Amino acid sequence: MPKTIYDIAKEAGVSIATVSRVFNSSNSVKDSTREKILKIADDLGYHPQAYAQGLASKKKNSMMMLVPVMSNYFFTEILRGTQDVLADENIELTILNINQEKGVFRQVEQVIKRQWADGYLIVSLHMTQQELQKLKRYNVPISLLDDHSTHFDSVSFNNEQGGYTATTYLLGKGHRRIVFLSGRKEAIPNKERFKGYLKALRESKVPFDESLHITGDSMDRDGFTEKNGYEAMCKILNLDKPVDAIFCTSDIKAVGALKAMNDFGKRIPLISYDNLSISEYIGLSTIFQPMYKMGCQATRHLLNRIDNPDVIICDHIHNPELIIRDSSEI
Amino acid sequence: MPKTIYDIAKEAGVSIATVSRVFNSSNSVKDSTREKILKIADDLGYHPQAYAQGLASKKKNSMMMLVPVMSNYFFTEILRGTQDVLADENIELTILNINQEKGVFRQVEQVIKRQWADGYLIVSLHMTQQELQKLKRYNVPISLLDDHSTHFDSVSFNNEQGGYTATTYLLGKGHRRIVFLSGRKEAIPNKERFKGYLKALRESKVPFDESLHITGDSMDRDGFTEKNGYEAMCKILNLDKPVDAIFCTSDIKAVGALKAMNDFGKRIPLISYDNLSISEYIGLSTIFQPMYKMGCQATRHLLNRIDNPDVIICDHIHNPELIIRDSSEI
DNA sequence: CTGAAAGCGCTTACAG
DNA sequence: CTGAAAGCGCTTACAG
């Protein structure tokens, strides 16, 4: 039922090679021939099939973005960067959601084996170095975002630095009992930020109090939810000794935490992480990461590697930035 | 460099047909043969190429979701539904972002022409009936979500009903001067909600005041941003006659509007739209749409139509639901 | 249970 | 500027 290159060729009285050339706009085709073919193709609703082109040319002209959750502003910003870079290229971007519950590595490997795209942009998937190493064998362009590795191009955030900066700021305000309001404690970004928190405490000679390392009970999305923030805040308010301030590892969690403070009539200085678009409007002091810029960068890495498989591996680590608003100034 | 079915066949001492059968788990292959082939494939990192399979079998085992922006909770919920339905099917879901600035119809048509997938789930793209009609010719399974049509299966919201319900509630509270805080006034969902607003006013014999139809100046994302909400609220506060209440067409805009109220020390009852996950935590009264359920439904429609192209067209319209929290109760 | 062979819809040297 | 023909990596009747 759908038209093929043969239908167009027959209709135009040319060979399929000529039709093919028109759509690859590469080789020279007489203008009048080209126009005739284009007209017929348009009338018949024809365009070369992606799969057949991919098979024949070994070039898919597509890249695939692999992501865990796409709920958030974080992801949207990255996507914006990617799309802006891709705007002038003739490359389709397709997005595949990786289910964190079903074995990240297995899914990623499967996609690569099946050769869906010319290159893969892997975002926030946090595979182990060993797993990444295994992907090397497929010899396929891969660019990591929000993840670090010596095996592939990568663009990542200095999470430790973020935790350090926020905590240092709070210490500078004279706070001593500072909560680390955590997501799932084993989550990679969480662990790194925790390191920075510890480092800041150490520098100020404030001993670490394990009872101030707190998370809620709801653990979907690694605990990065309003609900978890709310639960955690309730625990904080029930502590025997009151706390001075809070470093919270995500804005979304902070929304829950602020609600709990409100519900119980408390106000505790808080800095969170992400700088979502709402954060400005609810007055959250927070750590900002240049997501858009990094989306651009990681995409450029990938394009470059597709064209040029042997360039040296790039590895950018960005420092986040503290934005002070109301929530920390009490 | 990448392995092919020939490599596996040679290594295993069988024909490529047998290898193929193993991966299609369809026909009978002797257990010992199957295991040998699977082992070799695993060692060599082989899996059939998606594109070659697609070409040869005319079945892609994939569906594609076409969406405008994926920033929001709205989309995430739909995706969750889609993935849950797809979980047991052997079908890959791939997502393609449609750029609203670059001609929605052209992009959609292009994708379909190229035959990327076995079926397409088109979300919130709001093409005209004429455009949808044109897509018919490609004779391909399509399911619409958040859009209505007689040409394809569709699952949509009764936006007019939503606007009506919210406005009626506010009128019931005795409010008379009710603002319609709008996104881009021409945006489809916006227009429909506006109809419901007008209908409610009419029923209560409250004359419509054009000066209460307000939006901000920032028009990215059709004005569905915090910024636009903030700007609009500033205009509202500058009105000569004060207003009684506000019906705001999105939670995100409401976040901006509430900030403006705060900044100027005002409090005006407000109902918004979407029920984002944060809304519960910032006390927004809002209109909830059963996104998850609809994601499931639209996906089932599509699966069904892929298997069964001639079933009768389904057309579900869901009524939204009003959730009352603090923001309307002042 | 397995193989030989045609075919899926394209691209791309190679010739002219 | 254009065509004939081989080939991309699979699937799938058809035979056995």
Side-chain angles (χ1 to χ4, degrees), chain A residues 1-2 42-55 60 62 64 70-72 75-76 79 83 87 92-97 102 110 113-116 137-139 221 226-227 230 252 255-256 259 277-278 280-282, chain B residues 1-2 42-55 60 62 64 70-72 75-76 79 83 87 92-97 102 110 113-116 137-139 221 226-227 230 252 255-256 259 277-278 280-282:
Chain A
M1 195 76 186
D42 197 45
D43 290 347
L44 269 54
Y46 170 80
H47 199 281
Q49 250 195 260
Y51 280 35
Q53 281 192 311
L55 225 209
K60 268 112 186 162
S62 79
M64 194 173 239
M70 335 197 201
S71 52
N72 42 35
F75 173 72
T76 314
L79 184 62
Q83 288 181 321
E92 315 245 9
L93 176 69
T94 222
I95 300 167
L96 190 75
N97 203 213
K102 290 187 183 165
Q110 182 80 352
K113 275 183 179 173
R114 301 210 67 192
Q115 301 177 53
W116 276 107
R137 72 191 277 207
Y138 296 107
N139 206 16
R221 295 202 200 174
E226 295 92 344
K227 184 147 184 250
Y230 190 93
I252 278 295
V255 167
K259 166 93 155 78
S277 68
I278 56 162
E280 178 184 349
Y281 291 86
I282 58 177
Chain B
M1 196 75 189
D42 197 46
D43 289 347
L44 268 55
Y46 170 80
H47 199 279
Q49 251 195 258
Y51 280 35
Q53 283 191 310
L55 224 208
K60 268 110 186 163
S62 80
M64 195 173 238
M70 337 198 199
S71 52
N72 42 35
F75 172 72
T76 314
L79 185 63
Q83 288 181 320
E92 314 244 10
L93 175 69
T94 223
I95 299 166
L96 190 75
N97 203 214
K102 290 187 185 166
Q110 182 81 352
K113 276 183 180 174
R114 302 210 68 193
Q115 301 176 51
W116 276 107
R137 72 193 278 207
Y138 297 107
N139 204 20
R221 295 204 199 172
E226 294 92 345
K227 185 148 184 246
Y230 190 93
I252 278 295
V255 168
K259 166 92 155 80
S277 67
I278 55 161
E280 177 185 349
Y281 291 86
I282 59 178

Side-chain angles (χ1 to χ4, degrees), chain B residues 122-189:
Chain B
I122 299 185
V123 182
S124 301
L125 249 30
H126 306 306
M127 289 180 277
T128 66
Q129 293 303 318
Q130 208 176 43
E131 288 171 334
L132 288 169
Q133 164 76 50
K134 278 193 199 161
L135 295 181
K136 270 266 147 203
R137 72 193 278 207
Y138 297 107
N139 204 20
V140 85
I142 289 180
S143 170
L144 301 175
L145 211 170
D146 185 20
D147 222 339
H148 179 76
S149 161
T150 52
H151 301 298
F152 300 105
D153 297 317
S154 68
V155 178
S156 59
F157 307 106
N158 193 334
N159 277 307
E160 181 172 339
Q161 173 72 29
Y164 176 81
T165 304
T167 311
T168 299
Y169 180 86
L170 293 171
L171 287 163
K173 287 281 196 173
H175 303 307
R176 284 299 170 265
R177 282 178 58 76
I178 301 174
V179 171
F180 185 82
L181 201 171
S182 179
R184 191 167 63 82
K185 293 184 180 177
E186 297 74 26
I188 308 279

Side-chain angles (χ1 to χ4, degrees), chain A residues 316-328:
Chain A
H316 273 261
I317 303 184
H318 286 259
N319 279 320
E321 185 184 318
L322 177 59
I323 299 176
I324 293 301
R325 300 199 183 97
D326 293 345
S327 69
S328 56

